[in-house]
């Protein structure tokens, strides 16, 4: 068989026809609906038509893709991962929209919610008619969620919620916010309708990363909620951390999408850009860069595929998710930076995707667990010693 530069290890042979069909459908949607506009959205720092995009993604089955029932597609973990890869190959902000909707907000309700909560929220969220967000990080609390200050107190049969959440994707366009708060019983999750009195979600501006994404603060000032707003299925940090594991899995694939787009841009440029009388791809230093980028890109995809198979088999551990998130995001950033050097000065132009992906990945490196947190997760697993405190 011939060598295929876009699939040098023959990874496509590991995928079933239905896997490839889902991947190609999402790739085609992104090429049609995102790529022609994304540079302009990024430059202007906005994501216009987000509600329409959400409905289209819902029609594709991409929202809550790996969940069962309630209008969700019930796809495999590998199929969901392939969709994340294709979405992030367009832009990290688009993949974040899908991840927060499906792997955080929808997953929390699906996993921990009551049947009434599931029926109320999930069908509309799966269709993209309702957008959700996930409130865990706070202005002064990031990697240590146990120290959150948001608090919910019982008042008769109601709950009264006060606090702030920060860096919340989809916040100002959401119909429901899954908010985690301290209570006298421990940390609990709440499905908060965003039209509740005392709830507001001002949008965060002036970002240099994830510019084509809606990012907000959540402010809760004596938000009164009925008793049935609390997610009954979990108490404690295992609730939000379980959701984060689901979302981190999508990032393992998604980061490789950003890396692939940057690598392909560099490869195409190296074949056509001439210096000293021939394409720069004909020089040894450029070929060495391309070879190293291809190695890390496809090793990362293989890692994502392996972890996806483990998730489908029900054997994927949180430490393995940390392994994938730590490696793939770190290597994706390095691929983007190397691609930028091949493009030279053109690498900083929005005519090419490389710098956009590189700056987006700086956020991806931090959210859903920083590099240091995932190193400590693996360090604890390897040594049996806890270095977090």
């Amino acid at each position: 068989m011939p060598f295929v530069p876009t699939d040098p290890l023959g990874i496509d042979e590991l995928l079933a026809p239905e896997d490839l069909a889902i991947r190609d459908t999402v790739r085609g949607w992104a090429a049609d609906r995102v790529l022609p506009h994304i540079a302009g959205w990024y430059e202007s720092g906005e994501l216009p038509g987000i509600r329409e995009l959400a409905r289209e993604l819902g029609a594709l089955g991409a929202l809550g893709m790996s969940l069962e029932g309630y209008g969700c597609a019930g796809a495999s973990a590998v199929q969901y991962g392939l969709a994340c890869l294709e979405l992030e190959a367009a832009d990290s902000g688009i993949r974040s929209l899908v991840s927060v909707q499906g792997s955080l907000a929808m997953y929390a309700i699906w996993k921990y919610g009551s049947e009434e909560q599931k029926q109320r929220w999930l069908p509309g969220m799966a269709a993209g008619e309702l957008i959700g967000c996930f409130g865990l990080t706070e202005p002064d609390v990031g990697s240590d969620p146990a120290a959150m200050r948001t608090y919910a107190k019982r008042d008769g049969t109601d709950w009264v919620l006060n606090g702030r959440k920060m860096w919340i994707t989809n916040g100002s366009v959401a119909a429901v916010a899954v908010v985690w708060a301290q209570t006298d019983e421990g940390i609990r999750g709440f499905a908060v309708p965003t039209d509740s009195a005392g709830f507001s979600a001002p949008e965060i501006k002036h970002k240099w990363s994830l510019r084509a994404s809606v990012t907000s603060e959540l402010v809760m000032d004596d938000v009164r909620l009925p008793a049935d707003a609390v997610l009954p299925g979990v108490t404690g940090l295992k609730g939000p951390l379980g959701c984060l594991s689901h979302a981190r899995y999508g990032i393992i694939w998604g980061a490789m999408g950003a890396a692939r787009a940057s690598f392909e841009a560099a490869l195409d440029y190296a074949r056509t850009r001439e210096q000293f009388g021939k394409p720069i791809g004909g020089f040894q230093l450029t070929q060495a860069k391309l070879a190293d980028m291809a190695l890390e890109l496809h090793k990362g995809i293989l890692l994502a595929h392996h972890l996806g198979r483990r998730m489908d088999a029900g054997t994927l551990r949180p430490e393995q998710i940390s392994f994938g998130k730590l490696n793939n995001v770190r290597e994706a950033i390095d691929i983007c930076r190397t691609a930028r050097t091949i493009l030279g000065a053109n690498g900083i132009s929005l005519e090419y995707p490389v710098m956009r992906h590189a700056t987006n990945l700086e956020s991806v490196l931090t959210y859903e667990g920083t590099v240091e947190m995932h190193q400590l997760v693996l360090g604890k697993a390897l040594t049996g010693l806890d270095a977090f405190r």
Side-chain angles (χ1 to χ4, degrees):
M1 295 181 65
F3 182 83
V4 181
T6 56
D7 185 23
L9 297 179
I11 298 174
D12 280 4
E13 296 172 23
L14 301 175
L15 303 174
E18 54 268 32
D19 301 335
L20 295 170
I22 288 172
R23 182 196 68 183
D24 293 345
T25 296
V26 177
R27 183 182 296 183
W29 178 85
D32 179 55
R33 291 291 287 117
V34 179
L35 290 180
H37 315 290
I38 189 62
W41 296 344
Y42 184 91
E43 188 168 25
S44 63
E46 59 184 355
L47 184 59
I50 183 174
R51 298 182 192 280
E52 181 181 355
L53 291 172
R55 287 191 290 269
E56 293 177 15
L57 287 162
L60 288 177
L63 303 178
M65 187 173 176
S66 60
L67 305 181
E68 296 280 352
Y70 308 98
C72 301
S76 71
V78 168
Q79 290 167 350
Y80 172 58
L82 289 166
C84 287
L85 187 150
E86 295 301 332
L87 291 169
E88 193 142 358
D91 191 77
S92 300
I94 303 299
R95 199 267 311 143
S96 292
L97 163 63
V98 170
S99 287
V100 170
Q101 176 85 345
S103 291
L104 291 178
M106 291 179 68
Y107 182 80
I109 296 170
W110 182 85
K111 181 72 173 177
Y112 306 122
S114 67
E115 183 61 29
E116 291 75 16
Q117 289 168 333
K118 295 173 187 178
Q119 293 288 352
R120 178 179 180 182
W121 297 113
L122 292 181
M125 296 174 79
E129 296 293 337
L130 302 175
I131 294 176
C133 66
F134 185 86
L136 180 62
T137 298
E138 299 188 355
D140 298 315
V141 177
S143 296
D144 184 15
M148 70 175 69
R149 298 174 182 174
T150 298
Y151 209 94
K153 276 188 170 292
R154 288 188 183 272
D155 184 16
T157 60
D158 290 346
W159 293 89
V160 178
L161 184 62
N162 282 281
R164 296 168 64 197
K165 301 293 182 178
M166 195 69 172
W167 304 114
I168 308 302
T169 298
N170 301 345
S172 58
V173 295
V176 60
V178 174
V179 176
W180 300 92
Q182 300 278 10
T183 75
D184 292 343
E185 307 159 8
I187 291 173
R188 302 299 302 270
F190 296 83
V192 182
T194 59
D195 60 0
S196 301
F199 182 96
S200 61
E203 189 171 353
I204 297 171
K205 299 289 189 180
H206 311 298
K207 300 177 296 179
W208 286 115
S209 179
L210 289 181
R211 289 177 58 77
S213 177
V214 174
T215 309
S216 309
E217 180 183 10
L218 305 185
V219 180
M220 290 143 292
D221 185 7
D222 287 334
V223 175
R224 182 171 290 274
L225 300 168
D228 60 7
V230 71
L231 302 180
V234 70
T235 300
L237 271 179
K238 65 181 179 180
L241 294 182
C243 300
L244 289 175
S245 287
H246 203 71
R248 288 164 177 163
Y249 167 76
I251 289 172
I252 294 168
W253 285 90
M256 292 295 97
R260 188 193 71 193
S262 297
F263 169 74
E264 290 179 350
L267 180 61
D268 181 67
Y269 192 85
R271 287 167 169 163
T272 57
R273 170 71 168 180
E274 291 194 1
Q275 293 287 280
F276 304 103
K278 67 177 183 180
I280 62 173
F283 291 100
Q284 292 180 0
L285 287 175
T286 302
Q287 290 192 359
K289 291 179 181 181
L290 292 168
D292 287 345
M293 293 161 67
L295 279 173
E296 297 307 324
L297 170 61
H298 294 283
K299 283 160 57 179
I301 294 173
L302 274 176
L303 172 58
H305 184 272
H306 170 67
L307 297 180
R309 293 299 184 207
R310 292 188 64 82
M311 179 174 274
D312 280 326
T315 58
L316 183 61
R317 292 189 51 84
E319 298 91 343
Q320 293 165 344
I321 294 174
S322 288
F323 196 110
K325 204 268 186 179
L326 175 61
N327 180 81
N328 281 14
V329 180
R330 193 159 60 181
E331 294 304 325
I333 290 178
D334 193 54
I335 288 169
C336 290
R337 290 171 177 163
T338 304
R340 210 290 301 164
T341 69
I342 291 175
L343 270 70
N346 283 325
I348 70 168
S349 170
L350 277 174
E351 293 182 23
Y352 299 89
V354 174
M355 186 61 75
R356 174 170 53 82
H357 283 305
T359 56
N360 282 339
L361 285 169
E362 292 292 342
S363 290
V364 180
L365 189 72
T366 298
Y367 69 33
E368 315 288 359
T370 65
V371 166
E372 294 81 5
M373 291 300 104
H374 289 295
Q375 287 174 322
L376 293 180
V377 167
L378 292 174
K380 180 180 178 181
L382 292 168
T383 66
L385 303 172
D386 188 349
F388 282 97
R389 296 184 184 278

